[in-house]
Amino acid sequence: MPNGNLTMLDTAPAVEWVISDAPVDYPVALDLMSRRAAAIREGHAPELVWLLEHPPLYTGGTGAKDSDLLNPLGLPVYRTSRGGQFTYHGPGQRVAYVMLDLKRRNLDIRAFVTRLETWLIVALAEFNVTGETRPDRVGVWVRRPSKGTLIEDKIAAIGLRVSRWVSSHGISLNVDPDLTHYRGIVPCGIRDHGVTSLADLGLPVTLYDVDVALRKSFQQTFGPVKPIA
């Protein structure tokens, strides 16, 4: 049974690292991700991290409640097989689909989620942003002042599917998306906290900057990558 040892980097081969320059339609991404995950399970393809953007849309995971879809705003809504509830994807948000063999990496699912959170937190630290986790809330959170008090907003989300120990779906990090689109849903089913982005925090960070930080922190957290043009 895989375990959650985080004391050393994984010894698996380098992960292929692909970045799509143009937004990718969600059904196209699902199809490519599903076929790649299946090939990894069968030993026919190496592991992959795929960085991309989507056009504006909502996705609902296996725990999504109809009551949390408040006002779709005319955006497409997709029900998916990943865990979690409703979230938003759109331009200015870096999505990373993570197709890894957890058995090869000796990771159980809880340890894998912890490793993904660490990956995001280390990347955010490159921009002097302190990302934090909460035991009762999935994702990565930042504390910020508002009206004389500290509030906590989500800056990155995690939604996964693991089938026969190979992962798919992954993480999303808000760089400079249209945050008003989150008003159409209850993000991740959490009503008492908001959503933020690097731009909303006053940081003029580009997707390229974030990609560099994500690659560096992934290598620190999981191990080497192999960029694919």
Side-chain angles (χ1 to χ4, degrees):
M1 174 71 68
N3 63 50
N5 186 0
L6 295 176
T7 59
M8 8 180 353
L9 293 178
D10 301 331
T11 56
V15 176
E16 291 192 345
W17 188 269
V18 174
I19 302 174
S20 292
D21 294 330
V24 180
D25 288 337
Y26 194 70
V28 172
L30 285 184
D31 179 62
L32 291 173
M33 179 168 50
S34 175
R35 288 192 282 115
R36 181 58 174 258
I40 294 169
R41 281 192 294 272
E42 299 302 322
H44 298 154
E47 297 170 302
L48 172 68
V49 173
W50 181 17
L51 275 60
L52 68 152
E53 292 176 280
H54 286 304
L57 56 91
Y58 298 119
T59 69
T62 56
K65 301 175 182 178
D66 291 341
S67 58
D68 287 344
L69 185 61
L70 304 177
N71 178 6
L73 303 171
L75 302 183
V77 179
Y78 297 95
R79 298 283 184 159
T80 77
S81 60
R82 64 162 173 80
Q85 302 186 43
F86 278 110
T87 194
Y88 166 75
H89 294 312
Q93 180 192 76
R94 178 51 86 208
V95 173
Y97 289 134
V98 182
M99 289 152 270
L100 299 183
D101 185 337
L102 305 190
K103 183 176 290 187
R104 175 187 292 177
R105 291 176 175 274
N106 201 33
L107 289 170
D108 60 32
I109 294 175
R110 178 176 295 182
F112 180 48
V113 171
T114 298
R115 195 82 69 95
L116 291 173
E117 291 169 339
T118 300
W119 174 30
L120 287 162
I121 289 169
V122 173
L124 287 169
E126 291 288 311
F127 309 107
N128 296 314
V129 173
T130 302
E132 301 178 358
T133 59
R134 295 291 179 265
D136 59 337
R137 288 182 255 132
V138 178
V140 176
W141 301 78
V142 294
R143 288 186 283 180
R144 55 188 302 194
S146 176
K147 299 179 181 179
T149 187
L150 281 178
I151 62 172
E152 294 185 350
D153 288 339
K154 177 178 277 191
I155 195 167
I158 297 173
L160 296 171
R161 173 178 168 81
V162 177
S163 176
R164 290 167 52 196
W165 293 109
V166 172
S167 66
S168 56
H169 298 270
I171 63 99
S172 60
L173 174 59
N174 288 340
V175 183
D176 189 14
D178 184 347
L179 294 179
T180 66
H181 285 163
Y182 280 97
R183 298 174 187 170
I185 57 172
V186 179
C188 302
I190 299 171
R191 296 178 180 271
D192 299 330
H193 298 275
V195 179
T196 190
S197 66
L198 291 170
D200 188 47
L201 295 174
L203 298 170
V205 176
T206 67
L207 282 173
Y208 175 81
D209 297 329
V210 167
D211 292 347
V212 171
L214 284 172
R215 178 177 167 184
K216 178 181 177 182
S217 60
F218 186 92
Q219 293 183 117
Q220 293 172 348
T221 308
F222 285 96
V225 302
K226 178 183 178 182
I228 305 295

